[in-house]
Amino acid sequence: MSESNPFKLHRDPFGRLVLTDAQGQAHVGVLAVRAFPISAPDEGISLVDADSHERAWVPLLGALDAPHRALLGEALEQREFMPRLQRVKAVSSFVTPSTWDVDTDRGPTSFVLKGEEDIRRLGPGLLIVNDAHGVQYLIEDVMAMDKHSRKLLDRFL
């Protein structure tokens, strides 16, 4: 523990994240939760126990030392799954539900869009698309997408 790290983090033999707080109490199985996962992913990270009680707050991920930053980054990555939608190749219909064939930062996939309300604007050019299974796809900049993708998206917006 140091002034910049008022806690210690490590993994136990079962792979669970263990937080030791400033009082020396160990909290096994803590989860890292981002306060603002899209707009400020490296700011405001809460470490919560199994009962969802906050045990530590990290105002800025970059302020942690390298080992803690790496461990926390790994924990966040394991918990979160939000592929970035890069290209819309095809849609089965312009009436929902429709099947979308897309390319993401995690590879090609297809999903079912239940309704137009499952595409939400979060800011200028920033969209979240929810599929029928609850997976969220992030579009960071609609205007940066290719013309074909924008044309297909426009039919649903």
Side-chain angles (χ1 to χ4, degrees), residues 25-45:
Q25 184 176 358
H27 303 277
V28 179
V30 296
L31 296 173
V33 181
R34 294 183 204 267
F36 307 102
I38 296 169
S39 61
D42 293 336
E43 298 176 24
I45 298 165

Side-chain angles (χ1 to χ4, degrees), residues 69-132:
R69 189 171 49 246
L71 194 55
L72 200 50
E74 178 186 293
L76 287 164
E77 199 170 295
Q78 286 176 340
R79 185 177 189 281
E80 299 171 345
F81 179 72
M82 186 180 296
R84 284 164 172 63
L85 202 149
Q86 298 171 327
R87 181 172 176 246
V88 181
K89 296 188 285 190
V91 295
S92 64
S93 167
F94 293 116
V95 179
T96 54
S98 61
T99 301
W100 289 37
D101 290 316
V102 300
D103 287 333
T104 73
D105 63 336
R106 313 259 177 138
T109 191
S110 63
F111 62 84
V112 174
L113 182 75
K114 292 187 302 185
E116 292 175 7
E117 65 276 2
D118 290 325
I119 302 175
R120 294 180 307 171
R121 288 186 187 272
L122 300 178
L126 186 63
L127 302 173
I128 293 267
V129 180
N130 293 317
D131 76 4

